[in-house]
Amino acid sequence: PWDVNVTERYDSGFDVRHRVVLLANYELPFFRSASGLVHGFLADWQINTAAFYQTGLTYTVTNGTARSNTGGTDRPNQVGNPTLSNPTIAEWFDITAFAAQPINTAGNTGSNTLHGPPQRRIDLSLFKNITLTNATRLQLRAEAFNVTNTPSFANPNAALGTAGFGSVTSTGSAISRQVQLAAKLLF
């Protein structure tokens, strides 16, 4: 019989334990008092950065095929410690720590007990402000997203019994390096 007093506690699917964000803007002070072409080309520059690092999102190890006869995805038995001291993209967790539970029984693996790869990115931009009138200026912008082109990987394949179980196979919604040039009229 089903025990209605059973309580399962687990981390939220969007739990991020640690997140560090750095935002910095610096208006370069050089050549402000210059005049003519020197001021026009070398003065009024601004550099900006936005960087972040966060720990990985939680995920649950499941069975590749349903075994508990409950009509949905179920979880296997955890038979060991899945945490690796040096996880790699090819083996993010110890796959031998999980085994399929007997047919028509529930597995003992908890929900959201593992955390995926960290996410990180650095964006940089360089602005040049050109005064047109007292109330109007033109801003020339060069912006680069993910300057270091560092991949941020998605959670690993966590379906026991499927190809690639325990390995990371995608970058999820991470972007590769992108550069854009723009002009902005401020009035």
Side-chain angles (χ1 to χ4, degrees):
W2 181 259
D3 184 355
V4 293
N5 294 319
V6 172
T7 302
E8 182 176 31
R9 296 176 189 220
Y10 54 89
D11 294 336
S12 167
F14 51 86
D15 175 47
V16 174
R17 291 294 161 107
H18 306 284
R19 181 173 173 90
V20 177
V21 177
L22 169 72
L23 301 171
N25 300 0
Y26 184 64
E27 189 172 318
L28 300 174
F30 314 114
F31 302 104
R32 283 188 183 161
S33 60
S35 61
L37 288 177
V38 171
H39 183 272
F41 284 108
L42 301 178
D44 299 324
W45 287 91
Q46 177 181 335
I47 189 166
N48 312 289
T49 186
F52 79 91
Y53 172 87
Q54 74 178 34
T55 55
L57 294 172
T58 61
Y59 63 94
T60 303
V61 173
T62 60
N63 283 309
T65 57
R67 298 181 59 87
S68 65
N69 198 23
T70 58
T73 304
D74 56 17
R75 295 173 285 192
N77 284 331
Q78 185 171 331
V79 295
N81 182 1
T83 306
L84 295 174
S85 57
N86 293 308
T88 65
I89 300 305
E91 187 177 21
W92 192 254
F93 60 88
D94 185 359
I95 62 174
T96 63
F98 299 96
Q101 79 275 23
I103 296 289
N104 297 326
T105 63
N108 68 3
T109 299
S111 259
N112 293 336
T113 55
L114 299 175
H115 287 80
Q119 307 291 305
R120 56 204 177 274
R121 191 170 95 202
I122 299 173
D123 300 336
L124 288 174
S125 61
L126 185 64
F127 297 173
K128 167 70 173 147
N129 293 308
I130 302 169
T131 302
L132 301 176
T133 67
N134 283 343
T136 308
R137 64 189 165 120
L138 178 67
Q139 187 176 74
L140 303 176
R141 306 166 68 110
E143 300 168 314
F145 304 97
N146 195 3
V147 166
T148 58
N149 206 26
T150 303
S152 288
F153 294 103
N155 283 342
N157 175 353
L160 177 67
T162 61
F165 176 58
S167 64
V168 176
T169 59
S170 72
T171 57
S173 61
I175 62 169
S176 58
R177 180 185 305 125
Q178 296 178 7
V179 177
Q180 67 183 23
L181 302 173
K184 181 176 182 181
L185 184 62
L186 301 152
F187 56 94

mmCIF file with all atom_site columns, all heavy atoms in Angstrom, residues 130-148:
data_model
loop_
_atom_site.group_PDB
_atom_site.id
_atom_site.type_symbol
_atom_site.label_atom_id
_atom_site.label_alt_id
_atom_site.label_comp_id
_atom_site.label_asym_id
_atom_site.label_entity_id
_atom_site.label_seq_id
_atom_site.pdbx_PDB_ins_code
_atom_site.Cartn_x
_atom_site.Cartn_y
_atom_site.Cartn_z
_atom_site.occupancy
_atom_site.B_iso_or_equiv
_atom_site.pdbx_formal_charge
_atom_site.auth_seq_id
_atom_site.auth_comp_id
_atom_site.auth_asym_id
_atom_site.auth_atom_id
_atom_site.pdbx_PDB_model_num
ATOM 1   N N   . ILE A 1 130 ? 30.312 61.181 -29.508 1.00 0.00 ? 130 ILE A N   1
ATOM 2   C CA  . ILE A 1 130 ? 30.610 62.339 -30.351 1.00 0.00 ? 130 ILE A CA  1
ATOM 3   C C   . ILE A 1 130 ? 29.508 63.370 -30.132 1.00 0.00 ? 130 ILE A C   1
ATOM 4   O O   . ILE A 1 130 ? 28.333 63.099 -30.418 1.00 0.00 ? 130 ILE A O   1
ATOM 5   C CB  . ILE A 1 130 ? 30.677 61.945 -31.841 1.00 0.00 ? 130 ILE A CB  1
ATOM 6   C CG1 . ILE A 1 130 ? 31.741 60.864 -32.051 1.00 0.00 ? 130 ILE A CG1 1
ATOM 7   C CG2 . ILE A 1 130 ? 30.925 63.168 -32.714 1.00 0.00 ? 130 ILE A CG2 1
ATOM 8   C CD1 . ILE A 1 130 ? 31.713 60.221 -33.414 1.00 0.00 ? 130 ILE A CD1 1
ATOM 9   N N   . THR A 1 131 ? 29.871 64.529 -29.597 1.00 0.00 ? 131 THR A N   1
ATOM 10  C CA  . THR A 1 131 ? 28.896 65.583 -29.328 1.00 0.00 ? 131 THR A CA  1
ATOM 11  C C   . THR A 1 131 ? 28.553 66.288 -30.641 1.00 0.00 ? 131 THR A C   1
ATOM 12  O O   . THR A 1 131 ? 29.434 66.786 -31.342 1.00 0.00 ? 131 THR A O   1
ATOM 13  C CB  . THR A 1 131 ? 29.458 66.595 -28.305 1.00 0.00 ? 131 THR A CB  1
ATOM 14  O OG1 . THR A 1 131 ? 29.797 65.887 -27.113 1.00 0.00 ? 131 THR A OG1 1
ATOM 15  C CG2 . THR A 1 131 ? 28.437 67.665 -27.987 1.00 0.00 ? 131 THR A CG2 1
ATOM 16  N N   . LEU A 1 132 ? 27.270 66.319 -30.962 1.00 0.00 ? 132 LEU A N   1
ATOM 17  C CA  . LEU A 1 132 ? 26.806 67.001 -32.172 1.00 0.00 ? 132 LEU A CA  1
ATOM 18  C C   . LEU A 1 132 ? 26.298 68.397 -31.842 1.00 0.00 ? 132 LEU A C   1
ATOM 19  O O   . LEU A 1 132 ? 26.636 69.361 -32.522 1.00 0.00 ? 132 LEU A O   1
ATOM 20  C CB  . LEU A 1 132 ? 25.720 66.169 -32.847 1.00 0.00 ? 132 LEU A CB  1
ATOM 21  C CG  . LEU A 1 132 ? 26.130 64.744 -33.261 1.00 0.00 ? 132 LEU A CG  1
ATOM 22  C CD1 . LEU A 1 132 ? 24.949 63.994 -33.834 1.00 0.00 ? 132 LEU A CD1 1
ATOM 23  C CD2 . LEU A 1 132 ? 27.280 64.785 -34.247 1.00 0.00 ? 132 LEU A CD2 1
ATOM 24  N N   . THR A 1 133 ? 25.440 68.501 -30.810 1.00 0.00 ? 133 THR A N   1
ATOM 25  C CA  . THR A 1 133 ? 24.961 69.788 -30.294 1.00 0.00 ? 133 THR A CA  1
ATOM 26  C C   . THR A 1 133 ? 24.946 69.666 -28.772 1.00 0.00 ? 133 THR A C   1
ATOM 27  O O   . THR A 1 133 ? 25.313 68.621 -28.222 1.00 0.00 ? 133 THR A O   1
ATOM 28  C CB  . THR A 1 133 ? 23.533 70.118 -30.802 1.00 0.00 ? 133 THR A CB  1
ATOM 29  O OG1 . THR A 1 133 ? 22.617 69.182 -30.235 1.00 0.00 ? 133 THR A OG1 1
ATOM 30  C CG2 . THR A 1 133 ? 23.444 70.080 -32.314 1.00 0.00 ? 133 THR A CG2 1
ATOM 31  N N   . ASN A 1 134 ? 24.485 70.710 -28.074 1.00 0.00 ? 134 ASN A N   1
ATOM 32  C CA  . ASN A 1 134 ? 24.430 70.645 -26.607 1.00 0.00 ? 134 ASN A CA  1
ATOM 33  C C   . ASN A 1 134 ? 23.532 69.507 -26.121 1.00 0.00 ? 134 ASN A C   1
ATOM 34  O O   . ASN A 1 134 ? 23.777 68.939 -25.055 1.00 0.00 ? 134 ASN A O   1
ATOM 35  C CB  . ASN A 1 134 ? 23.925 71.974 -26.027 1.00 0.00 ? 134 ASN A CB  1
ATOM 36  C CG  . ASN A 1 134 ? 25.024 73.027 -26.038 1.00 0.00 ? 134 ASN A CG  1
ATOM 37  O OD1 . ASN A 1 134 ? 26.196 72.702 -26.172 1.00 0.00 ? 134 ASN A OD1 1
ATOM 38  N ND2 . ASN A 1 134 ? 24.633 74.291 -25.896 1.00 0.00 ? 134 ASN A ND2 1
ATOM 39  N N   . ALA A 1 135 ? 22.496 69.191 -26.845 1.00 0.00 ? 135 ALA A N   1
ATOM 40  C CA  . ALA A 1 135 ? 21.534 68.181 -26.396 1.00 0.00 ? 135 ALA A CA  1
ATOM 41  C C   . ALA A 1 135 ? 21.596 66.884 -27.208 1.00 0.00 ? 135 ALA A C   1
ATOM 42  O O   . ALA A 1 135 ? 20.850 65.954 -26.934 1.00 0.00 ? 135 ALA A O   1
ATOM 43  C CB  . ALA A 1 135 ? 20.121 68.752 -26.467 1.00 0.00 ? 135 ALA A CB  1
ATOM 44  N N   . THR A 1 136 ? 22.461 66.810 -28.195 1.00 0.00 ? 136 THR A N   1
ATOM 45  C CA  . THR A 1 136 ? 22.500 65.642 -29.072 1.00 0.00 ? 136 THR A CA  1
ATOM 46  C C   . THR A 1 136 ? 23.920 65.108 -29.184 1.00 0.00 ? 136 THR A C   1
ATOM 47  O O   . THR A 1 136 ? 24.866 65.868 -29.345 1.00 0.00 ? 136 THR A O   1
ATOM 48  C CB  . THR A 1 136 ? 21.998 66.024 -30.488 1.00 0.00 ? 136 THR A CB  1
ATOM 49  O OG1 . THR A 1 136 ? 20.739 66.664 -30.379 1.00 0.00 ? 136 THR A OG1 1
ATOM 50  C CG2 . THR A 1 136 ? 21.851 64.789 -31.350 1.00 0.00 ? 136 THR A CG2 1
ATOM 51  N N   . ARG A 1 137 ? 24.014 63.794 -29.107 1.00 0.00 ? 137 ARG A N   1
ATOM 52  C CA  . ARG A 1 137 ? 25.323 63.180 -29.358 1.00 0.00 ? 137 ARG A CA  1
ATOM 53  C C   . ARG A 1 137 ? 25.132 61.842 -30.050 1.00 0.00 ? 137 ARG A C   1
ATOM 54  O O   . ARG A 1 137 ? 24.092 61.190 -29.947 1.00 0.00 ? 137 ARG A O   1
ATOM 55  C CB  . ARG A 1 137 ? 26.161 63.056 -28.096 1.00 0.00 ? 137 ARG A CB  1
ATOM 56  C CG  . ARG A 1 137 ? 25.641 62.202 -27.063 1.00 0.00 ? 137 ARG A CG  1
ATOM 57  C CD  . ARG A 1 137 ? 26.438 62.327 -25.775 1.00 0.00 ? 137 ARG A CD  1
ATOM 58  N NE  . ARG A 1 137 ? 25.597 61.719 -24.769 1.00 0.00 ? 137 ARG A NE  1
ATOM 59  C CZ  . ARG A 1 137 ? 25.934 60.685 -24.036 1.00 0.00 ? 137 ARG A CZ  1
ATOM 60  N NH1 . ARG A 1 137 ? 27.132 60.167 -24.141 1.00 0.00 ? 137 ARG A NH1 1
ATOM 61  N NH2 . ARG A 1 137 ? 25.099 60.182 -23.186 1.00 0.00 ? 137 ARG A NH2 1
ATOM 62  N N   . LEU A 1 138 ? 26.161 61.466 -30.761 1.00 0.00 ? 138 LEU A N   1
ATOM 63  C CA  . LEU A 1 138 ? 26.189 60.196 -31.478 1.00 0.00 ? 138 LEU A CA  1
ATOM 64  C C   . LEU A 1 138 ? 27.111 59.256 -30.715 1.00 0.00 ? 138 LEU A C   1
ATOM 65  O O   . LEU A 1 138 ? 28.211 59.647 -30.330 1.00 0.00 ? 138 LEU A O   1
ATOM 66  C CB  . LEU A 1 138 ? 26.699 60.409 -32.911 1.00 0.00 ? 138 LEU A CB  1
ATOM 67  C CG  . LEU A 1 138 ? 26.830 59.166 -33.782 1.00 0.00 ? 138 LEU A CG  1
ATOM 68  C CD1 . LEU A 1 138 ? 25.462 58.569 -34.073 1.00 0.00 ? 138 LEU A CD1 1
ATOM 69  C CD2 . LEU A 1 138 ? 27.559 59.506 -35.075 1.00 0.00 ? 138 LEU A CD2 1
ATOM 70  N N   . GLN A 1 139 ? 26.658 58.054 -30.504 1.00 0.00 ? 139 GLN A N   1
ATOM 71  C CA  . GLN A 1 139 ? 27.481 57.067 -29.797 1.00 0.00 ? 139 GLN A CA  1
ATOM 72  C C   . GLN A 1 139 ? 27.790 55.915 -30.753 1.00 0.00 ? 139 GLN A C   1
ATOM 73  O O   . GLN A 1 139 ? 26.884 55.247 -31.255 1.00 0.00 ? 139 GLN A O   1
ATOM 74  C CB  . GLN A 1 139 ? 26.727 56.536 -28.569 1.00 0.00 ? 139 GLN A CB  1
ATOM 75  C CG  . GLN A 1 139 ? 27.561 55.649 -27.684 1.00 0.00 ? 139 GLN A CG  1
ATOM 76  C CD  . GLN A 1 139 ? 26.798 55.230 -26.446 1.00 0.00 ? 139 GLN A CD  1
ATOM 77  O OE1 . GLN A 1 139 ? 25.913 54.400 -26.540 1.00 0.00 ? 139 GLN A OE1 1
ATOM 78  N NE2 . GLN A 1 139 ? 27.150 55.812 -25.299 1.00 0.00 ? 139 GLN A NE2 1
ATOM 79  N N   . LEU A 1 140 ? 29.086 55.702 -31.008 1.00 0.00 ? 140 LEU A N   1
ATOM 80  C CA  . LEU A 1 140 ? 29.537 54.579 -31.823 1.00 0.00 ? 140 LEU A CA  1
ATOM 81  C C   . LEU A 1 140 ? 29.877 53.450 -30.864 1.00 0.00 ? 140 LEU A C   1
ATOM 82  O O   . LEU A 1 140 ? 30.556 53.657 -29.846 1.00 0.00 ? 140 LEU A O   1
ATOM 83  C CB  . LEU A 1 140 ? 30.753 54.974 -32.656 1.00 0.00 ? 140 LEU A CB  1
ATOM 84  C CG  . LEU A 1 140 ? 30.549 56.168 -33.582 1.00 0.00 ? 140 LEU A CG  1
ATOM 85  C CD1 . LEU A 1 140 ? 31.854 56.511 -34.287 1.00 0.00 ? 140 LEU A CD1 1
ATOM 86  C CD2 . LEU A 1 140 ? 29.439 55.910 -34.577 1.00 0.00 ? 140 LEU A CD2 1
ATOM 87  N N   . ARG A 1 141 ? 29.400 52.231 -31.158 1.00 0.00 ? 141 ARG A N   1
ATOM 88  C CA  . ARG A 1 141 ? 29.534 51.120 -30.218 1.00 0.00 ? 141 ARG A CA  1
ATOM 89  C C   . ARG A 1 141 ? 30.129 49.890 -30.891 1.00 0.00 ? 141 ARG A C   1
ATOM 90  O O   . ARG A 1 141 ? 29.717 49.517 -31.975 1.00 0.00 ? 141 ARG A O   1
ATOM 91  C CB  . ARG A 1 141 ? 28.157 50.741 -29.670 1.00 0.00 ? 141 ARG A CB  1
ATOM 92  C CG  . ARG A 1 141 ? 27.412 51.890 -29.063 1.00 0.00 ? 141 ARG A CG  1
ATOM 93  C CD  . ARG A 1 141 ? 25.935 51.577 -28.848 1.00 0.00 ? 141 ARG A CD  1
ATOM 94  N NE  . ARG A 1 141 ? 25.731 50.569 -27.838 1.00 0.00 ? 141 ARG A NE  1
ATOM 95  C CZ  . ARG A 1 141 ? 25.208 50.797 -26.642 1.00 0.00 ? 141 ARG A CZ  1
ATOM 96  N NH1 . ARG A 1 141 ? 24.851 52.015 -26.315 1.00 0.00 ? 141 ARG A NH1 1
ATOM 97  N NH2 . ARG A 1 141 ? 25.037 49.832 -25.788 1.00 0.00 ? 141 ARG A NH2 1
ATOM 98  N N   . ALA A 1 142 ? 31.076 49.262 -30.205 1.00 0.00 ? 142 ALA A N   1
ATOM 99  C CA  . ALA A 1 142 ? 31.592 47.950 -30.592 1.00 0.00 ? 142 ALA A CA  1
ATOM 100 C C   . ALA A 1 142 ? 31.348 47.049 -29.390 1.00 0.00 ? 142 ALA A C   1
ATOM 101 O O   . ALA A 1 142 ? 31.837 47.331 -28.291 1.00 0.00 ? 142 ALA A O   1
ATOM 102 C CB  . ALA A 1 142 ? 33.070 48.021 -30.928 1.00 0.00 ? 142 ALA A CB  1
ATOM 103 N N   . GLU A 1 143 ? 30.568 45.996 -29.586 1.00 0.00 ? 143 GLU A N   1
ATOM 104 C CA  . GLU A 1 143 ? 30.185 45.120 -28.479 1.00 0.00 ? 143 GLU A CA  1
ATOM 105 C C   . GLU A 1 143 ? 30.548 43.684 -28.821 1.00 0.00 ? 143 GLU A C   1
ATOM 106 O O   . GLU A 1 143 ? 30.310 43.223 -29.933 1.00 0.00 ? 143 GLU A O   1
ATOM 107 C CB  . GLU A 1 143 ? 28.686 45.240 -28.216 1.00 0.00 ? 143 GLU A CB  1
ATOM 108 C CG  . GLU A 1 143 ? 28.282 46.656 -27.849 1.00 0.00 ? 143 GLU A CG  1
ATOM 109 C CD  . GLU A 1 143 ? 26.786 46.888 -27.867 1.00 0.00 ? 143 GLU A CD  1
ATOM 110 O OE1 . GLU A 1 143 ? 26.124 46.467 -28.833 1.00 0.00 ? 143 GLU A OE1 1
ATOM 111 O OE2 . GLU A 1 143 ? 26.285 47.497 -26.913 1.00 0.00 ? 143 GLU A OE2 1
ATOM 112 N N   . ALA A 1 144 ? 31.107 42.989 -27.830 1.00 0.00 ? 144 ALA A N   1
ATOM 113 C CA  . ALA A 1 144 ? 31.482 41.585 -28.002 1.00 0.00 ? 144 ALA A CA  1
ATOM 114 C C   . ALA A 1 144 ? 30.899 40.783 -26.846 1.00 0.00 ? 144 ALA A C   1
ATOM 115 O O   . ALA A 1 144 ? 31.127 41.108 -25.679 1.00 0.00 ? 144 ALA A O   1
ATOM 116 C CB  . ALA A 1 144 ? 32.993 41.430 -28.039 1.00 0.00 ? 144 ALA A CB  1
ATOM 117 N N   . PHE A 1 145 ? 30.136 39.756 -27.190 1.00 0.00 ? 145 PHE A N   1
ATOM 118 C CA  . PHE A 1 145 ? 29.518 38.890 -26.199 1.00 0.00 ? 145 PHE A CA  1
ATOM 119 C C   . PHE A 1 145 ? 30.297 37.578 -26.143 1.00 0.00 ? 145 PHE A C   1
ATOM 120 O O   . PHE A 1 145 ? 30.685 37.045 -27.166 1.00 0.00 ? 145 PHE A O   1
ATOM 121 C CB  . PHE A 1 145 ? 28.054 38.623 -26.562 1.00 0.00 ? 145 PHE A CB  1
ATOM 122 C CG  . PHE A 1 145 ? 27.268 39.895 -26.726 1.00 0.00 ? 145 PHE A CG  1
ATOM 123 C CD1 . PHE A 1 145 ? 27.069 40.440 -27.973 1.00 0.00 ? 145 PHE A CD1 1
ATOM 124 C CD2 . PHE A 1 145 ? 26.766 40.559 -25.619 1.00 0.00 ? 145 PHE A CD2 1
ATOM 125 C CE1 . PHE A 1 145 ? 26.365 41.624 -28.134 1.00 0.00 ? 145 PHE A CE1 1
ATOM 126 C CE2 . PHE A 1 145 ? 26.062 41.748 -25.762 1.00 0.00 ? 145 PHE A CE2 1
ATOM 127 C CZ  . PHE A 1 145 ? 25.862 42.278 -27.018 1.00 0.00 ? 145 PHE A CZ  1
ATOM 128 N N   . ASN A 1 146 ? 30.540 37.077 -24.950 1.00 0.00 ? 146 ASN A N   1
ATOM 129 C CA  . ASN A 1 146 ? 31.351 35.887 -24.713 1.00 0.00 ? 146 ASN A CA  1
ATOM 130 C C   . ASN A 1 146 ? 32.719 36.058 -25.386 1.00 0.00 ? 146 ASN A C   1
ATOM 131 O O   . ASN A 1 146 ? 33.131 35.266 -26.228 1.00 0.00 ? 146 ASN A O   1
ATOM 132 C CB  . ASN A 1 146 ? 30.653 34.616 -25.185 1.00 0.00 ? 146 ASN A CB  1
ATOM 133 C CG  . ASN A 1 146 ? 31.295 33.358 -24.646 1.00 0.00 ? 146 ASN A CG  1
ATOM 134 O OD1 . ASN A 1 146 ? 32.242 33.403 -23.876 1.00 0.00 ? 146 ASN A OD1 1
ATOM 135 N ND2 . ASN A 1 146 ? 30.779 32.211 -25.066 1.00 0.00 ? 146 ASN A ND2 1
ATOM 136 N N   . VAL A 1 147 ? 33.418 37.092 -24.984 1.00 0.00 ? 147 VAL A N   1
ATOM 137 C CA  . VAL A 1 147 ? 34.702 37.475 -25.569 1.00 0.00 ? 147 VAL A CA  1
ATOM 138 C C   . VAL A 1 147 ? 35.697 36.313 -25.592 1.00 0.00 ? 147 VAL A C   1
ATOM 139 O O   . VAL A 1 147 ? 36.410 36.113 -26.570 1.00 0.00 ? 147 VAL A O   1
ATOM 140 C CB  . VAL A 1 147 ? 35.300 38.673 -24.798 1.00 0.00 ? 147 VAL A CB  1
ATOM 141 C CG1 . VAL A 1 147 ? 36.752 38.897 -25.133 1.00 0.00 ? 147 VAL A CG1 1
ATOM 142 C CG2 . VAL A 1 147 ? 34.507 39.911 -25.092 1.00 0.00 ? 147 VAL A CG2 1
ATOM 143 N N   . THR A 1 148 ? 35.753 35.542 -24.538 1.00 0.00 ? 148 THR A N   1
ATOM 144 C CA  . THR A 1 148 ? 36.717 34.444 -24.447 1.00 0.00 ? 148 THR A CA  1
ATOM 145 C C   . THR A 1 148 ? 36.242 33.188 -25.173 1.00 0.00 ? 148 THR A C   1
ATOM 146 O O   . THR A 1 148 ? 36.966 32.206 -25.232 1.00 0.00 ? 148 THR A O   1
ATOM 147 C CB  . THR A 1 148 ? 36.983 34.089 -22.973 1.00 0.00 ? 148 THR A CB  1
ATOM 148 O OG1 . THR A 1 148 ? 35.732 33.732 -22.361 1.00 0.00 ? 148 THR A OG1 1
ATOM 149 C CG2 . THR A 1 148 ? 37.609 35.259 -22.236 1.00 0.00 ? 148 THR A CG2 1
#
